[in-house]
Amino acid sequence: MVQTGSNVGRVALTWRHVDRTVIAAFLPGVVLGALAAAWLLVRLPAGLLELSIAAFVLYSCWGPGLPKRALGRVGVLLAGALTTLLSSLVGASGPMVAAFIKQGQSDRLAKVATFSACMSAQHLTKAFVFGMAGFVFRDWLGLMLAMVASGFIGTWLGLRLLRRLSEHRFDTLFKWALTLLALRLVWLGVSRLAG
């Protein structure tokens, strides 16, 4: 819920930059992925999923890039479904969604706004799934609201900094941040597979 609040706040502050065509293609995939996660009975080992996500992120950052076809409507729909499914299983889809959005957006504000809109949709579906599973949000409402408020302040400060960065500088920082997240996933995946 805190991630939902942070991403919704970021969308509210950058809504003019959201790529609505990406969102229109991503949302049906989010619904499909959430439905699949809700009914999935067989689960792959967590370490394998984390290594797969890390490989995709590293390829997206350092490889030749995704083919144009992957960035079209069908590719975005499949990305929405797959990342939502993975998010529900291991909770680590943020770097994967960011790497995917990075490939299709050239403007730093569009990257941040579109990523935040995609993640808002994913986190809302997870809240629904966890609510159906019995999580009582009311018991944690005060803490969630305080964390969302502090996250909004951080978002506001971060966007002020973002507007001062050049596109090149942002791309470099974004690429390295995703790489560090992917390397962390590699570490977690190997640790879990090793037992």
Side-chain angles (χ1 to χ4, degrees):
M1 292 311 296
V2 173
Q3 287 295 326
T4 302
S6 292
N7 282 298
V8 168
R10 209 169 298 119
V11 171
L13 294 173
T14 60
W15 65 271
R16 288 185 181 103
H17 301 279
V18 173
D19 186 334
R20 285 157 182 77
T21 59
V22 169
I23 300 305
F26 194 82
L27 285 178
V30 167
V31 172
L32 291 173
L35 290 172
W39 295 105
L40 188 64
L41 299 176
V42 177
R43 184 175 164 195
L44 295 172
L48 184 61
L49 290 171
E50 289 160 339
L51 289 172
S52 300
I53 293 169
F56 176 82
V57 171
L58 290 170
Y59 174 82
S60 297
C61 287
W62 301 101
L66 298 173
K68 291 289 183 198
R69 164 182 270 167
L71 300 172
R73 281 185 83 69
V74 173
V76 173
L77 182 135
L78 291 174
L82 179 63
T83 59
T84 301
L85 175 64
L86 290 172
S87 175
S88 297
L89 296 177
V90 296
S93 71
M96 193 169 175
V97 174
F100 186 81
I101 295 298
K102 172 190 169 303
Q103 297 281 322
Q105 302 294 319
S106 58
D107 175 70
R108 66 191 184 283
L109 286 168
K111 286 177 189 172
V112 169
T114 305
F115 167 75
S116 297
C118 291
M119 293 308 295
S120 295
Q122 282 192 344
H123 291 306
L124 285 172
T125 62
K126 282 173 36 175
F128 175 75
V129 169
F130 292 135
M132 294 298 289
F135 184 78
V136 183
F137 291 97
R138 180 181 59 242
D139 294 349
W140 297 92
L141 190 59
L143 180 61
M144 285 189 298
L145 290 175
M147 292 175 76
V148 167
S150 65
F152 185 82
I153 293 167
T155 292
W156 180 76
L157 292 170
L159 286 173
R160 288 180 57 122
L161 175 64
L162 179 65
R163 287 186 172 96
R164 293 181 183 175
L165 290 175
S166 68
E167 291 293 336
H168 176 73
R169 180 93 171 191
F170 172 79
D171 283 341
T172 301
L173 292 171
F174 193 59
K175 186 183 214 177
W176 280 105
L178 285 173
T179 299
L180 291 173
L181 288 170
L183 292 174
R184 180 179 178 273
L185 285 171
V186 168
W187 174 261
L188 289 172
V190 169
S191 297
R192 288 187 178 169
L193 286 174

